[in-house]
Amino acid sequence: MDNILDLLEDLTRPDSRPPEYFALLEKSEPYIKAAKEHFSLPFVDGLTEAQCEASDWLQKECFSRGFRLGVHLTLEGLSYHT
């Protein structure tokens, strides 16, 4: 683990993905098939890997921002005086 946010994200990641996720993946199948017909398999694999890396980065960034927001809200709530 590089840092505590990576560890927390790994610990809170669901074991399985919902059906909506797989439905979204199915939408890309015609495009992947067409790309395989027009480009080499290593090219398509490289493109897919680059897109997955970008998606992973975005997921970690969203988790990090949400976590920090949650901490800030908690600290504000704890310091709020009535």
Side-chain angles (χ1 to χ4, degrees):
M1 287 300 127
D2 290 336
N3 62 47
I4 188 69
L5 289 177
D6 287 340
L7 175 63
L8 290 171
E9 184 202 5
D10 287 343
L11 291 173
T12 58
R13 185 176 295 146
D15 291 334
S16 62
R17 302 200 189 273
E20 294 85 4
Y21 171 79
F22 296 103
L24 289 170
L25 285 181
E26 285 182 26
K27 288 176 132 180
S28 66
E29 284 301 318
Y31 301 103
I32 293 172
K33 183 179 177 186
K36 285 179 181 177
E37 291 172 0
H38 292 89
F39 300 101
S40 68
L41 189 56
F43 176 85
V44 175
D45 285 344
L47 175 62
T48 302
E49 187 173 327
Q51 289 174 323
C52 288
E53 286 176 15
S55 180
D56 287 345
W57 181 89
L58 183 59
Q59 179 178 333
K60 288 179 187 233
E61 180 67 17
C62 289
F63 179 85
S64 175
R65 288 178 183 214
F67 183 82
R68 286 181 288 199
L69 175 62
V71 169
H72 283 282
L73 291 171
T74 301
L75 291 173
E76 285 293 320
L78 291 173
S79 66
Y80 181 73
H81 299 283
T82 55

